């Protein structure tokens, strides 16, 4: 793939996306730290495990979080050691596979964090954009995510 020069319109859209994402992330992380005593990434681990029924293998968890396997391992270790929000388990059927499992304390922490996430997302994001525009933005952002694989083999042409 040959490198292409981006237009002013493309760069403006990218910068607006980056700015909005960075501001929302900062508000979420700071508020979660202050109120729920967890980081945004710790919340995302708990949320991913909860959405998966409380348990996920480590590799799919890292993939779902769009981080490296070693990054996923570090986060799970922190959540195990921090407050016992997560435990690692193995299956007798496949001892090679390690699972991250949400504990009752982790479910409580997630329940405490949810109103924080809801309030921050509403205050700094959703309250400023009408429903149809939010749906359009979701479709656009999903299209961008689907077009850009999360792997090391992606070549931007440089």
């Amino acid at each position: 793939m040959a490198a292409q020069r981006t237009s002013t319109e493309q760069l403006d859209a990218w910068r607006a996306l980056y700015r909005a994402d960075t501001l929302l992330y900062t508000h979420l992380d700071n508020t979660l730290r202050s109120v729920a005593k967890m980081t945004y990434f710790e919340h995302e681990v708990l949320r991913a495990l909860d959405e998966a029924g409380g348990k996920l293998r480590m590799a799919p968890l890292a993939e779902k979080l769009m981080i490296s396997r070693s990054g996923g391992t570090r986060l799970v270790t922190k959540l195990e050691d921090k407050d016992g929000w997560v435990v690692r388990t193995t299956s007798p059927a496949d001892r090679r596979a390690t699972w991250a499992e949400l504990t009752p304390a982790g479910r409580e922490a997630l329940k405490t964090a949810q109103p924080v996430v809801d309030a921050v997302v509403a205050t700094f994001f959703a309250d400023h954009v009408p429903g149809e525009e939010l749906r359009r933005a979701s479709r656009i952002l999903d299209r961008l995510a689907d077009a850009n694989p999360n792997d090391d083999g992606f070549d931007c042409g440089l």
Side-chain angles (χ1 to χ4, degrees), residues 14-32:
W14 160 248
R15 287 185 183 116
L17 172 63
Y18 177 76
R19 182 172 170 248
D21 177 66
T22 301
L23 289 169
L24 181 59
Y25 165 79
T26 300
H27 288 301
L28 270 170
D29 192 58
N30 289 342
T31 309
L32 280 168

Side-chain angles (χ1 to χ4, degrees), residues 56-74:
L56 260 175
R57 285 179 64 163
M58 293 294 290
L61 174 61
E63 186 176 312
K64 189 173 186 76
L65 297 171
M66 295 184 292
I67 59 175
S68 68
R69 288 182 183 191
S70 62
T73 298
R74 283 191 300 276

Side-chain angles (χ1 to χ4, degrees), residues 129-140:
V129 183
E132 181 49 43
E133 289 184 38
L134 285 173
R135 287 186 288 280
R136 189 175 322 120
S138 291
R139 288 190 302 271
I140 291 167

Side-chain angles (χ1 to χ4, degrees), residues 66-125:
M66 295 184 292
I67 59 175
S68 68
R69 288 182 183 191
S70 62
T73 298
R74 283 191 300 276
L75 269 172
V76 168
T77 298
K78 186 176 178 185
L79 291 172
E80 278 183 305
D81 295 344
K82 182 178 180 177
D83 291 305
W85 291 345
V86 174
V87 294
R88 266 186 278 214
T89 60
T90 57
S91 166
D94 183 2
R95 292 189 185 273
R96 295 172 298 158
T98 303
W99 295 76
E101 190 170 339
L102 192 58
T103 65
R107 286 189 196 286
E108 276 303 308
L110 188 58
K111 193 187 310 182
T112 298
Q114 194 55 53
V116 174
V117 172
D118 292 346
V120 171
V121 169
T123 301
F124 294 99
F125 180 71

Side-chain angles (χ1 to χ4, degrees), residues 31-75:
T31 309
L32 280 168
R33 285 173 188 267
S34 164
V35 177
K37 308 302 180 228
M38 71 177 67
T39 67
Y40 171 75
F41 288 113
E42 291 168 345
H43 171 268
E44 287 301 291
V45 171
L46 300 179
R47 184 193 56 77
L49 291 172
D50 186 57
E51 286 180 355
K55 189 174 176 179
L56 260 175
R57 285 179 64 163
M58 293 294 290
L61 174 61
E63 186 176 312
K64 189 173 186 76
L65 297 171
M66 295 184 292
I67 59 175
S68 68
R69 288 182 183 191
S70 62
T73 298
R74 283 191 300 276
L75 269 172

